[in-house]
Amino acid sequence: MENDEKIPLLTPFQLGPFLLNHRVVLAPMTRCRSYGSIPQPHAAVYYSQRATPGGLLIAEATGVSDTSMGYSCTPGIWTQEQVEAWKPIVKAVHAKGAVFFLQIWHVGRLSHTSYQPKGQAPISCSSKRAPGPSPSGDILEYSTPRALETREIPLLIQDFCTAARNAIEAGFDGVELHGAHGYLIDQFLKDGINDRTDGYGGSVENRCRFALELVEAVAKEIGSQRIGFRFSPFSNFSDSADSNPMKLAVFLAEALNRYNILYVAEPKIKLSGEVESELWPVKRAFKGAFLAAAGFDRDSGNAAIESGLADLVVYARHFLANPDLPRRFQLNAPLNLYDRNTFFSHDPVAGYTDYPFVEETV
């Protein structure tokens, strides 16, 4: 790319073992196009459209077990059939020279009995029911969850380990553990949800125990430099609030250092004047790469890189609607407008692979 040195977002960055040619990252976004929890061939088109040499893509949240699901047509990675379905998608991205991580998750209480095996209650750290509806609108009221027994937690951690191992078998370069936005890991982290009285509840140290044990186990499974961790301490998405989010954020960021993972990502629901004051202490606490995702545009993303607030900037809706987002940033070209009505559509083309490239709009 010409004149990259003048554009902070388009400068190289060494992300552990991966040399990135630019700092514009594709966010993991639930797109609801995986029928029967099986990734589909049209996903290879979608992700390869957004792949560039030395670019980092993070694939959509993918379930670790049959109890992890809470949205229709979202993918999984716990069966061999799912692993085989991911392989050509990963191959298409690697053919473009990009680095590809898979976000793995368990939705916890943000589910309904209709998504659970044998219609059982969703599992969580608590029996507190979440307020509906779901972001995709397919669940109007969440089901009351069942609080996990202490003895069940190691089994759940093993589900994440199996999913991570399967992701590497499918060809992914690493995994991002989804500890944000009110899903299962976040449910353990936040005292607004976690009301446990065992070693996984109460103090901030205890509430972080599940996340840290999970990171340690997955690191032993696939290696620490193949792991990213996404958390949202300052968000109350789906009633996932904490009484002291800064204390939680800094404690967890510092605790993650002992495992030498590749990066942490901190997503904000929207960009505000408070973002920098909230993110700086977390950025300073964590010794690895710091990915910021806060509704950034070209100018604010460049400013975040230039100031040192972020090492990489994660783009969701803009990257969804602009498959060539780094190129548009290079040219300072106008961006396609995204269509919210198609965010969670099951259509394999509309609002998915039909957004035009910049050369097609001039």
Side-chain angles (χ1 to χ4, degrees):
M1 294 182 179
E2 298 177 1
N3 300 321
D4 286 359
E5 67 277 6
K6 298 179 181 179
I7 305 173
L9 282 167
L10 301 184
T11 56
F13 181 75
Q14 189 72 45
L15 180 66
F18 308 106
L19 177 59
L20 304 181
N21 290 339
H22 61 79
R23 305 184 187 220
V24 181
V25 180
L26 175 70
M29 292 173 281
T30 296
R31 300 311 315 274
C32 297
R33 266 85 170 180
S34 296
Y35 313 136
S37 299
I38 306 295
Q40 299 295 309
H42 46 253
V45 179
Y46 172 76
Y47 284 112
S48 64
Q49 283 180 335
R50 288 153 182 80
T52 55
L56 173 61
L57 281 64
I58 308 172
E60 63 208 272
T62 297
V64 300
S65 69
D66 59 357
T67 68
S68 67
M69 310 303 279
Y71 292 76
S72 61
C73 297
T74 51
I77 191 75
W78 70 87
T79 71
Q80 194 60 39
E81 183 181 8
Q82 292 163 340
V83 171
E84 295 302 320
W86 274 115
K87 286 181 178 180
I89 301 169
V90 178
K91 185 177 180 180
V93 169
H94 282 162
K96 292 284 193 74
V99 177
F100 204 15
F101 271 52
L102 179 68
Q103 187 185 74
I104 55 177
W105 72 344
H106 193 299
V107 302
R109 70 177 189 159
L110 300 186
S111 187
H112 188 272
T113 54
S114 60
Y115 284 102
Q116 297 298 309
K118 300 180 180 179
Q120 66 189 34
I123 56 176
S124 178
C125 66
S126 167
S127 60
K128 294 180 181 178
R129 189 173 70 157
S134 65
S136 63
D138 57 339
I139 296 178
L140 298 180
E141 289 189 3
Y142 292 114
S143 298
T144 300
R146 177 182 67 83
L148 286 158
E149 297 181 20
T150 305
R151 62 177 176 81
E152 295 178 286
I153 291 177
L155 301 176
L156 187 59
I157 290 174
Q158 185 55 50
D159 286 340
F160 276 87
C161 290
T162 300
R165 185 174 66 248
N166 287 346
I168 300 304
E169 181 186 342
F172 285 99
D173 298 294
V175 300
E176 178 179 283
L177 302 175
H178 195 345
H181 296 337
Y183 298 110
L184 182 65
I185 298 173
D186 200 31
Q187 291 162 28
F188 273 88
L189 294 174
K190 302 289 183 61
D191 61 12
I193 300 173
N194 188 335
D195 56 1
R196 301 180 72 88
T197 57
D198 63 1
Y200 293 90
S203 67
V204 66
E205 293 85 356
N206 283 358
R207 285 182 280 114
C208 289
R209 180 180 169 190
F210 173 65
L212 296 174
E213 288 182 349
L214 180 56
V215 168
E216 181 178 23
V218 174
K220 289 178 180 177
E221 190 72 41
I222 65 171
S224 61
Q225 290 292 285
R226 292 180 180 269
I227 299 173
F229 188 90
R230 171 173 289 240
F231 65 158
S232 57
F234 305 103
S235 168
N236 60 358
F237 191 77
S238 296
D239 266 13
S240 60
D242 191 80
S243 62
N244 193 337
M246 184 61 77
K247 180 180 179 181
L248 171 63
V250 172
F251 176 86
L252 185 55
E254 290 178 342
L256 286 169
N257 286 327
R258 73 182 72 139
Y259 304 108
N260 193 36
I261 65 173
L262 195 61
Y263 70 82
V264 296
E266 207 293 310
K268 306 290 293 183
I269 298 301
K270 63 180 180 179
L271 195 63
S272 72
E274 298 177 352
V275 168
E276 291 200 17
S277 62
E278 290 178 347
L279 293 189
W280 270 116
V282 187
K283 173 68 164 62
R284 295 188 182 104
F286 184 68
K287 304 307 180 186
F290 188 77
L291 280 59
F296 289 95
D297 58 17
R298 182 181 186 271
D299 290 342
S300 58
N302 279 325
I305 298 297
E306 197 164 33
S307 69
L309 176 64
D311 297 304
L312 304 169
V313 179
V314 185
Y315 290 87
R317 290 168 292 182
H318 287 318
F319 220 150
L320 179 158
N322 297 272
D324 54 349
L325 188 64
R327 172 69 173 164
R328 288 176 185 263
F329 283 170
Q330 178 201 7
L331 300 174
N332 201 14
L335 301 183
N336 298 323
L337 299 178
Y338 48 81
D339 181 2
R340 290 182 179 274
N341 295 323
T342 63
F343 281 1
F344 303 107
S345 164
H346 304 324
D347 193 292
V349 176
Y352 192 58
T353 60
D354 60 346
Y355 283 106
F357 290 73
V358 66
E359 288 80 4
E360 300 168 345
T361 59
V362 294

